[in-house]
Structure formats: C-alpha cells, structure tokens
Amino acid sequence: MASLGDSDSVYSSVKDYYGKVLESTKDLKTSACTAGSAPHPIVRQIIGKVPQAVVGRFFGCGNPIPLGIEGKDVLDLGSGSGRDCYVAAALVGREGSVTGVDMTDEQLAIARENVDEFGKILGYAPKLRFVTGYIEKLEEAGVESESVDICISNCVINLSPNKRQVLEGVYGSLRTGGELYFSDMYADRKLPESVRSNEVLRGEGMGGALFVRDFEQMAVDIGFARPRVLAVGRIAVHDPELQQMVGDANFYSITYRLFKVQESSADNGPFAAEYLGTIEGHKDKYELDVDHVFETGTPMRVDLGTAAILSSSWLARYFAVKPQANNSLKPAAQITPTETLLDRADQVATSGCGAAEQASTSCCAS
C-alpha cells in the first residue's frame, strides 16, 4: 500500500501539530483523541498517580493497556508524553520493563523529566525509558528483534506514512506469543487525497485512517492471527469546515488485538477453554474480544484460532485449553465482521449514549 504522501512532510507536520499546536485536548477539532470508554478502575487508579504534566498532554483515543502483564516487557509506539507508559510501568512491576518510542522532542522531554517523581510514588525505580525514533524504524530506535511481549499504541499508527512498515516492525519485535494491543482510528471507506493530505485531519489522525478491511488484510498478510476487536466507538468531527471536507466518510476508534501465534494444529478441534480467574481486575470474567467473554470456571467451546491464542500467547497461564471430548458445550462463537460492529457503533452514536459509552458495542443495545 502506498505511503501517505511524502514521509518527511508527514513527519514534520505531525511533529509540529503535537509538539507546538496542541497544548491540551481542548485544542482538538474532533473527538478523535477523546473518544473511548472509561479505563478499568485499576488503570484509573494508576492514572491518578501519574504526574499531571504527563496526563495533561495525553492525546490517545482509547485504553489499550491490558491487565495481567506483571513481569512483561512492553513497548509503546508513539508514546508522546508517556501516560500509557507510566501506567504500564506500574502494571509490569519491578521485574518488567517499558519502552516508549516517539519522534517529538517536546513530548519526550515531558515523559523523561517525570520518571523519577513517579518512581517515588511507586516506591521503586521502574524500568521505564523513552527513546527518540520513528515507529517505522524500531531497530534503529534500539528495539531488538523478539524482545517484546506486548506492544501498545494509542491513536498513533494512523499518523504513520507507512503503516505496513510499522506492523512489520512490531511483528519482528514481538516474541512468539506476543501481542499488539492498541487503539487507533479507522474509516468505513477509502479516503480521497483531499482528506488524506489535509494537515489538520492528518494531525488529528483521521487523514491517515485506513479502511478497516484494508487494515485487517494487511495484518494477516504480515503474519498476525486474525485481528480481534475489543471496542468500537464513533468519532465526531466538530469543526464545520472539516465536516464538509470528509463528506460521507465515517470514522471510528477501534481497539484491536493482534497476536503473534500460529493458527494451525494437527488437532482441528473442537476445543474447550476455561478462564481461571487469575488476572487481577478480571476475577469473574475476561473479555478476549467482543465475541468471546469467558466467565471464570465455566468452559466455553472455541474454534482453532481462539484456542491457539489462549494456549500459545502470553495469556496461556490464565486459561486451560483442551480438546473437547463431547458436544455438551454450545457452539463456538463466530467472529462478528468489523463492518457490522461499525454499524452498531453508528446506532449507538445516534441513540443518546454519551461519548465515553460509545466505545462499547453493547451500549444502549437491547
């Protein structure tokens, strides 16, 4: 897929927008960086401990930070002021590590200068670092091959002029069983050049939004398992001039999960998966995606792809997966096409749900 314009001009435009134009979320012209459901209470509690200088320059569009990541090595693409890195550092604990990669000097300065203060709050010095670099060139930024368990990103990959290069770099940096767990902006159609090249829409992420179908195919072609959707929310364009420019195109914040596992086995199933209830904050149930919600201690029939994720990824220690000896369980859930989820998000957006609720596809649903 072609790059978004000239790479140098895109980098320059994004650096200027996030380093100099935006001082806080109040300066945004769309809901792109404020859409999303409320964070998990554990995450909210940690955010409350993050220095305000870091939180005040946060421009994410979701909550792409999984729980249960103690001791893991985490990479944040386009870490900005570092809010998500600070949260992840608290979640991985003393034994884990977090690396944030960003190209914007102003944002990196804020992220770096508050690490010591946060360490005093945690009671230990976190293994938290911020490096200057491009998310398309992770090795040049010092991220080694197969050194990462979980890669997170919050409303950043869409800013890249070469998204395939980003995904290929992430795939190479992940250990087998690793995951790219991220929120980003997508469109329900291919965008015209007038939208793709507009500096404000580009800066807010919408100009670089991929058509969901194109993105999902790209991910599979690179080697990831079939993308899983955790949350979808409609993005509103507040500025009348920009509304006219985007026309009939609709934009969404989507939290995706891309696993580096092989969806193949000598045993084609069926399989039964049981959540053990051992992730802090998810005692009673665990939501893998919008179609797979596991209640603790209750076996659930799953297909080969889901069984591979639950038995071969970093989640394996939290699940018991085995071939199903009989057909006593109800049929495995089918993965809902993402475009169907977008339609549901449209219905939610027009039904009176608040912006914070729109990311949940079940909001206001009957």
Side-chain angles (χ1 to χ4, degrees):
M1 183 169 293
S3 299
L4 174 61
D6 176 73
S7 294
D8 290 339
S9 67
V10 174
Y11 292 145
S12 177
S13 175
V14 172
K15 282 183 181 180
D16 186 65
Y17 200 71
Y18 283 86
K20 299 180 175 62
V21 175
L22 296 181
E23 294 295 332
S24 73
T25 55
K26 295 179 181 178
D27 299 320
L28 296 164
K29 297 180 183 294
T30 73
S31 68
C33 291
T34 56
S37 58
H40 189 281
I42 291 177
V43 173
R44 281 206 305 272
Q45 184 180 39
I46 298 172
I47 291 174
K49 299 177 181 179
V50 176
Q52 185 56 41
V54 172
V55 176
R57 292 293 297 268
F58 170 71
F59 302 118
C61 65
N63 297 290
I65 309 174
L67 300 181
I69 60 175
E70 297 89 348
K72 298 300 183 183
D73 296 313
V74 176
L75 172 67
D76 185 3
L77 302 181
S79 52
S81 65
R83 192 204 75 166
D84 287 347
C85 286
Y86 279 72
V87 174
L91 291 173
V92 301
R94 296 173 183 268
E95 301 304 317
S97 71
V98 179
T99 299
V101 177
D102 204 275
M103 66 178 182
T104 308
D105 292 335
E106 293 86 350
Q107 294 280 66
L108 284 166
I110 293 171
R112 289 166 176 157
E113 66 189 18
N114 288 279
V115 172
D116 289 343
E117 178 185 346
F118 191 58
K120 293 177 182 178
I121 295 172
L122 293 177
Y124 60 89
K127 297 176 183 176
L128 172 59
R129 66 173 182 143
F130 295 94
V131 299
T132 303
Y134 297 103
I135 62 175
E136 299 86 354
K137 302 176 181 179
L138 293 178
E139 288 193 354
E140 291 184 14
V143 179
E144 297 181 357
S145 176
E146 298 186 350
S147 64
V148 175
D149 296 304
I150 299 161
C151 180
I152 62 175
S153 186
N154 204 331
C155 207
V156 169
I157 296 176
N158 55 339
L159 299 173
S160 170
N162 193 329
K163 297 168 184 61
R164 174 177 287 275
Q165 192 174 353
V166 174
L167 293 185
E168 289 174 340
V170 170
Y171 190 85
S173 72
L174 287 173
R175 299 183 175 110
T176 299
E179 176 186 6
L180 171 56
Y181 185 116
F182 72 113
S183 295
D184 222 321
M185 284 174 275
Y186 297 90
D188 62 354
R189 67 199 66 202
K190 295 178 184 293
L191 300 176
E193 182 61 27
S194 60
V195 173
R196 287 160 49 82
S197 61
N198 180 273
E199 287 202 4
V200 174
L201 287 173
R202 178 189 290 171
E204 304 237 350
M206 301 168 80
L210 283 179
F211 178 30
V212 289
R213 197 181 300 166
D214 290 342
F215 164 75
E216 293 182 356
Q217 186 60 55
M218 180 190 299
V220 172
D221 289 345
I222 288 170
F224 287 104
R226 181 176 177 178
R228 302 302 179 104
V229 174
L230 189 60
V232 180
R234 177 79 173 269
I235 292 174
V237 181
H238 304 307
D239 187 271
E241 184 177 342
L242 296 183
Q243 286 179 344
Q244 184 175 8
M245 185 171 295
V246 300
D248 294 330
N250 295 311
F251 298 88
Y252 305 84
S253 168
I254 303 179
T255 299
Y256 273 111
R257 308 189 70 170
L258 304 184
F259 290 90
K260 186 177 180 179
V261 298
Q262 294 297 319
E263 295 181 295
S264 61
S265 171
D267 186 348
N268 290 320
F271 300 90
E274 179 181 343
Y275 173 53
L276 305 179
T278 50
I279 297 179
E280 183 182 5
H282 296 304
K283 178 181 178 181
D284 298 322
K285 64 180 180 179
Y286 185 80
E287 184 176 5
L288 175 68
D289 54 44
V290 295
D291 298 301
H292 296 85
V293 180
F294 297 86
E295 295 183 2
T296 299
T298 302
M300 179 174 169
R301 189 174 180 179
V302 296
D303 62 16
L304 175 60
T306 302
I309 290 172
L310 298 180
S311 63
S312 303
S313 77
W314 69 273
L315 289 170
R317 60 176 170 167
Y318 300 119
F319 284 84
V321 181
K322 56 186 178 181
Q324 184 183 353
N326 54 58
N327 293 320
S328 60
L329 302 178
K330 61 183 180 181
Q334 299 297 308
I335 297 178
T336 303
T338 305
E339 288 169 278
T340 300
L341 298 178
L342 302 189
D343 290 339
R344 293 180 188 174
D346 290 339
Q347 295 171 11
V348 167
T350 59
S351 66
C353 286
E357 296 172 303
Q358 290 180 20
S360 171
T361 55
S362 61
C363 173
C364 297
S366 57

